[in-house]
Amino acid sequence: MIPDALHIELGRRYHFAASHRLHSVKLTEEENRRIYGKCNNAYGHGHNYTVEVRLSGAVDPAIGMIANLADLDAFVNEQVIEPFDHHSLQDEVSTFREIVPTTENLCMEIFQRLKAFPHAKLESVRVVETSNNSFEYAGD
Ligand code: NI
């Protein structure tokens, strides 16, 4: 007999490709070059990002799931994949006109966009930028 689970977590992984240029409006040109190095080059560069989302909730006894993955996929597509995939983050995503599109900030922006998912509680967002770098945010 399986108990009624009130807290079970689900993880799902998504992918998108985007370009960014690390350039802070709070710094001078010289400071930007010194701090960000080649990541400050004028024409930017791209990454294949992986986004791992974790959500929690109770298992709905009627369907045996926390949330329908089709609903989650549709929400993530609308909030993150469509606006970000094959776009320039600082030129085409309004948040990053003023905020430097580091992967820390990207991770927090994705968390803000996904926390309104109506069928489960968003626990964390992890963004993998390269095989060496990843960032995770679970809200404050
Ligand atoms: Ni980069």
Side-chain angles (χ1 to χ4, degrees):
M1 181 79 183
I2 308 173
D4 289 337
L6 295 177
H7 184 102
I8 182 161
E9 296 201 359
L10 99 87
R12 192 144 169 91
R13 190 172 288 147
Y14 299 90
H15 303 276
F16 68 88
S19 67
H20 70 171
R21 178 195 183 206
L22 300 186
H23 183 91
S24 173
V25 295
K26 297 184 173 71
L27 302 174
T28 65
E29 295 288 330
E30 194 279 330
E31 287 171 325
N32 270 293
R33 275 193 298 274
R34 178 168 52 79
I35 290 168
Y36 298 121
K38 64 184 180 181
C39 295
N40 182 243
N41 287 354
Y43 297 108
H45 62 276
H47 292 284
N48 291 311
Y49 292 99
T50 297
V51 178
E52 295 170 6
V53 300
R54 295 198 68 79
L55 300 105
S56 69
V59 173
D60 179 336
I63 61 171
M65 297 189 281
I66 300 170
N68 195 319
L69 291 181
D71 292 338
L72 180 61
D73 289 352
F75 190 77
V76 174
N77 266 314
E78 180 191 301
Q79 295 295 320
V80 175
I81 307 302
E82 285 294 327
F84 292 1
D85 188 38
H86 287 73
H87 287 286
S88 163
L89 295 177
Q90 70 282 353
D91 295 316
E92 298 178 279
V93 178
S94 62
T95 304
F96 299 118
R97 295 223 173 90
E98 298 293 319
I99 295 172
V100 61
T102 58
T103 308
E104 289 92 327
N105 284 335
L106 180 60
C107 188
M108 290 190 284
E109 173 67 11
I110 292 172
F111 187 94
Q112 294 306 318
R113 287 171 178 245
L114 296 184
K115 72 179 182 184
F117 181 63
H119 305 294
K121 178 178 184 285
L122 181 65
E123 295 287 347
S124 65
V125 168
R126 181 165 173 261
V127 179
V128 180
E129 180 186 40
T130 71
S131 56
N132 295 323
N133 297 346
S134 69
F135 299 88
E136 185 164 341
Y137 183 61
D140 285 317

